[in-house]
């Protein structure tokens, strides 16, 4: 991390947004525990880019803004729409908030939101894994090798199956699992190991671009 001093805090009962605002000293990035950060100086815009926004975050559905695949969430019965945001990775600007919200639900209503690019939250998408073509998942996996934030907690706890093994840059996560308990570390190593062939293929594609 470039000249950063990360602080570990417990989530407030009021939710993620309240936790971020109550602990922020100016424009601040707040991430869920377990997420891998590999952020370079040039990955983040200057603070003045955020000055007119309350918060920056990414959509929860990876393909929700993709006209070719945006209907997958509705067809799967998932409660994910164009207005469903992911609070796992956020950047807050406390100066824009008049009050700290009492809960996450409805906290972003009427707020100015700067949409976070996907490379800043390369997240797991369980709906897309089941229905999006393998070629599209592979393209998403290539993006994972260029991403600054790897939001793969769900992979390390529940594993991957089928074409979904092409969707994530799991080899980049391996160096960061040593601090897990022995049980969780063994589980993560097993899940990552099952995807070794696919990860090697996706990495070679990323390096050839």
């Amino acid at each position: 991390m470039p000249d950063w001093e990360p602080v570990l805090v417990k989530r407030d009962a009021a939710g993620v947004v309240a936790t971020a605002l109550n602990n922020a000293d100016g424009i601040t990035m707040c991430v869920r525990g377990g997420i891998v950060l590999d952020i370079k100086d040039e990955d983040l815009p200057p603070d003045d880019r955020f000055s007119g926004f309350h918060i920056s975050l990414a959509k929860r559905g990876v393909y929700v803004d993709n006209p070719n695949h945006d209907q997958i969430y509705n067809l799967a019965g998932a409660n994910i729409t164009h207005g469903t945001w992911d609070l796992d990775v956020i950047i807050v600007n406390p100066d824009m908030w008049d009050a700290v919200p009492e809960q996450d639900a409805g906290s972003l209503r009427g707020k100015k939101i700067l949409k976070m690019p996907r490379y800043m939250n390369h997240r797991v998408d369980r709906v897309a894994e089941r229905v999006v073509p393998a070629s599209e998942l592979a393209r998403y996996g290539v993006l994972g090798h260029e991403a600054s934030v790897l939001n793969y907690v769900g992979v390390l706890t529940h594993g991957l199956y089928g074409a979904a093994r092409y969707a994530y840059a799991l080899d980049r996560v391996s160096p960061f699992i040593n601090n897990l308990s022995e049980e969780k570390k063994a589980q993560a190593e097993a899940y990552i190991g099952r995807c070794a062939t696919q990860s090697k293929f996706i990495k070679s594609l990323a390096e050839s671009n």
Side-chain angles (χ1 to χ4, degrees):
M1 301 299 298
D3 302 322
W4 287 20
E5 296 181 6
V7 177
L8 180 65
V9 299
K10 290 185 177 181
R11 174 176 169 170
D12 292 348
V16 173
V17 177
T19 303
L21 291 172
N22 286 332
N23 291 278
D25 181 15
I27 295 172
T28 302
M29 185 175 189
C30 182
V31 303
R32 173 188 178 188
I35 291 176
V36 174
L37 305 179
D38 186 17
I39 300 176
K40 311 294 190 301
D41 282 323
E42 63 272 14
D43 291 338
L44 290 172
D47 282 356
D48 58 11
R49 180 71 178 89
F50 299 102
S51 61
F53 297 91
H54 292 80
I55 192 169
S56 177
L57 69 174
K59 297 288 183 71
R60 185 165 182 81
V62 170
Y63 293 93
V64 75
D65 289 331
N66 186 316
N68 295 322
H69 302 296
D70 60 339
Q71 291 299 313
I72 63 174
Y73 305 100
N74 182 50
L75 294 174
N79 188 26
I80 297 175
T81 68
H82 290 277
T84 306
W85 298 92
D86 182 16
L87 296 176
D88 285 353
V89 183
I90 64 176
I91 298 175
V92 293
N93 180 5
D95 291 342
M96 289 289 291
W97 294 77
D98 296 325
V100 175
E102 297 181 356
Q103 59 181 3
D104 285 331
S107 64
L108 302 183
R109 191 174 298 118
K111 300 298 187 290
K112 292 184 178 180
I113 299 174
L114 178 62
K115 182 182 175 183
M116 186 177 287
R118 186 52 62 185
Y119 76 86
M120 287 297 297
N121 185 355
H122 197 262
R123 64 162 291 113
V124 174
D125 190 322
R126 292 301 190 186
V127 176
E129 289 173 11
R130 300 196 301 268
V131 296
V132 172
S135 58
E136 184 64 42
L137 292 175
R139 276 192 284 271
Y140 186 60
V142 169
L143 175 61
H145 280 278
E146 304 167 354
S148 303
V149 179
L150 303 176
N151 188 355
Y152 293 170
V153 176
V155 175
L156 301 181
T157 55
H158 295 92
L160 289 172
Y161 305 92
R165 296 177 180 179
Y166 291 98
Y168 311 110
L170 292 181
D171 54 300
R172 294 185 60 196
V173 178
S174 297
F176 301 97
I177 64 175
N178 291 329
N179 290 331
L180 296 175
S181 67
E182 287 302 318
E183 179 183 358
K184 293 295 184 182
K185 179 182 177 182
Q187 183 183 59
E189 287 176 336
Y191 288 145
I192 292 173
R194 293 174 192 171
C195 304
T197 300
Q198 293 85 351
S199 294
K200 184 177 180 179
F201 173 71
I202 293 302
K203 183 178 181 180
S204 65
L205 284 181
E207 292 175 344
S208 66
N209 289 340

